Amino acid sequence: MSKHGRILVAMSGGVDSSVAAVMLHEQGYEVIGLTMKTWDYASSGSSSKETGCCSLDSINDARSLAVGYGFPHYILDIRNEFGDFVIDNFVDEYLAGRTPNPCVLCNTHIKWEALLKRADKLDCEFIATGHYANIRLQDSGRYVISKGKDENKDQSYVLWGVSQKNLARTQFPLGSFTKAEIRQMALDMGQTELAKKGESYEICFVPDNDYRSFLRHRVDGLEQKVAGGNFALSDGTIVGQHQGYPFYTIGQRKGLGIAFGHPMFVTEILPESNTVVLGTQEELKKSVALVRGLNLIKYESIQQPLEAITKIRYKDAGANSTIVQEDGLMKVEFHHAVSGIAPGQSAVFYEGNDLLGGGFLL
């Protein structure tokens, strides 16, 4: 028997999850590695070379590391579940005039569920991932996610949807390390090529980061269906025509194909009339947001106004706000107006470094 029991580690083949697996192995856990095949690029119509967590090279790298350290490694094909849920939602959200958050959905509904289902079959008490975040059990009995030590790599934003039940069996071995420290660990392990691996900030199924091309490939006749809609100002004045509302996002400034002599931004998307509303930076700002699909982590509910930092996008620094639950929604009142509140994106709430929870912007 191992010192700490059996743990299933999600291994993408990258430096983070690889070092996490070795770290747990050396701590005395009986590690089992698992690489999930979520997507193949041939299905996306992309001309890009297949890279990232779903490539054959990445799967082979994960397996090679596991073999080298003497622990088992499996490949789990979840392309059907992933495609049906994450990709269908991604397309549906853009067609509804919203901006989706596929990584949050994947973590919440696909990866954690797939990992725990396989963990049960393999008699693993815990699962682990290479996310830069921390987790602890409070006296209240609730599990709390908090920010990772490396502020530039903190990934707590994409973890707000994970349930208490699933957090109870989750470990984040990298939470108390910086990315530089993890790369150095890989070098110390003799894994020189692994230590040099670059970062991937792309959505795994949009390999060239061109979501518009992905939508065109995925939805037959999309361009013909949505072409010729109007650009309008907030007062309804029509100022030009656009290529179709799904190809624009809130806050977009470049690529509008229309000149005003001063900066203009997409401030609203109206799919019913195929209208894209343009406005100034001031018109892009809002002081209040409503958030649906809540998952609260630190507290069971927030029925009284609470001061929090609210992040409305992954790389957002966050803004001071007051939050309170009302009729199943979270009302967010920003202390200073913020730019670019995009329906469909995640709003994530923090108390200090602790993740209070999150949901999707209305």
Side-chain angles (χ1 to χ4, degrees):
M1 267 301 282
S2 69
K3 189 165 117 185
H4 295 299
R6 188 177 290 176
I7 189 165
L8 185 66
V9 183
M11 297 179 66
S12 68
V15 63
D16 296 330
S17 58
S18 297
V19 170
V22 173
M23 195 184 296
L24 291 166
H25 174 72
E26 292 182 343
Q27 286 172 11
Y29 285 93
E30 184 183 347
V31 169
I32 298 175
L34 182 76
T35 302
M36 288 177 279
K37 178 79 172 171
T38 57
W39 181 250
D40 60 86
Y41 287 4
S43 306
S44 70
S46 169
S47 58
S48 295
K49 180 178 182 289
E50 188 174 355
T51 58
C53 63
C54 297
S55 71
L56 187 59
D57 284 346
S58 294
I59 292 170
N60 287 338
D61 288 346
R63 171 160 283 179
S64 175
L65 184 102
V67 169
Y69 278 87
F71 58 83
H73 175 267
Y74 298 97
I75 299 165
L76 182 61
D77 189 339
I78 57 170
R79 283 175 292 182
N80 287 341
E81 302 100 297
F82 182 89
D84 289 346
F85 192 86
V86 177
I87 295 169
D88 288 355
N89 174 271
F90 182 83
V91 172
D92 290 346
E93 286 289 277
Y94 273 114
L95 295 184
R98 296 187 287 265
T99 307
N101 242 167
C103 295
V104 169
L105 280 185
C106 181
N107 283 335
T108 306
H109 298 285
I110 303 297
K111 285 191 174 176
W112 252 257
E113 295 300 328
L115 277 169
L116 286 165
K117 190 175 177 183
R118 184 52 62 100
D120 288 339
K121 289 182 178 178
L122 294 168
D123 292 325
C124 294
E125 184 180 357
F126 299 106
I127 62 170
T129 73
H131 286 93
Y132 286 83
N134 288 297
I135 188 169
R136 72 180 190 276
L137 178 61
Q138 294 190 128
D139 291 341
S140 66
R142 293 185 71 81
Y143 287 86
V144 182
I145 295 173
S146 59
K147 292 181 180 179
K149 175 184 174 182
D150 191 332
E151 288 187 17
N152 293 320
K153 279 295 295 176
D154 170 58
Q155 291 169 300
S156 56
Y157 175 87
V158 297
L159 299 170
W160 67 260
V162 183
S163 69
Q164 286 290 307
K165 175 174 67 77
N166 290 351
L167 288 176
R169 296 177 63 188
T170 299
Q171 295 190 21
F172 299 128
L174 307 190
S176 56
F177 298 93
T178 65
K179 182 73 178 197
E181 289 171 330
I182 295 303
R183 287 198 187 279
Q184 186 57 52
M185 284 185 199
L187 286 172
D188 294 343
M189 289 157 46
Q191 300 287 337
T192 308
E193 292 304 312
L194 182 65
K196 291 181 189 171
K197 276 199 174 185
E199 303 281 1
S200 175
Y201 296 106
E202 299 168 341
I203 298 169
C204 68
F205 55 89
V206 187
D208 45 16
N209 245 353
D210 184 357
Y211 86 87
R212 297 169 182 87
S213 175
F214 180 84
L215 289 178
R216 291 186 189 103
H217 176 77
R218 193 82 183 177
V219 183
D220 288 340
L222 178 61
E223 284 182 291
Q224 291 73 28
K225 291 174 187 172
V226 299
N230 291 322
F231 279 125
L233 303 181
S234 57
D235 63 4
T237 303
I238 294 171
V239 292
Q241 288 198 315
H242 58 68
Q243 297 174 1
Y245 74 87
F247 304 130
Y248 300 87
T249 55
I250 299 294
Q252 182 178 337
R253 175 184 170 188
K254 296 180 179 177
L256 300 178
I258 186 169
F260 289 90
H262 57 89
M264 292 289 275
F265 303 82
V266 174
T267 60
E268 194 174 3
I269 295 169
L270 305 172
E272 300 84 2
S273 58
N274 195 10
T275 301
V276 175
V277 181
L278 303 179
T280 63
Q281 176 122 40
E282 202 56 37
E283 289 176 292
L284 189 62
K285 292 181 178 178
K286 291 184 180 177
S287 296
V288 178
L290 291 176
V291 182
R292 63 176 173 85
L294 299 174
N295 183 55
L296 296 182
I297 292 180
K298 188 172 183 178
Y299 306 119
E300 192 171 343
S301 64
I302 300 173
Q303 302 296 339
Q304 300 297 320
L306 180 68
E307 302 294 294
I309 300 293
T310 298
K311 292 179 65 168
I312 57 169
R313 62 185 67 84
Y314 180 44
K315 287 299 182 183
D316 183 20
N320 290 321
S321 61
T322 302
I323 63 173
V324 63
Q325 268 179 275
E326 295 181 352
D327 301 322
L329 303 174
M330 190 73 80
K331 184 179 182 183
V332 184
E333 295 182 348
F334 293 99
H335 297 178
H336 301 283
V338 298
S339 291
I341 294 177
Q345 282 284 290
S346 290
V348 181
F349 321 116
Y350 291 87
E351 188 175 51
N353 286 326
D354 289 346
L355 182 60
L356 292 168
F360 297 107
L361 288 160
L362 277 172

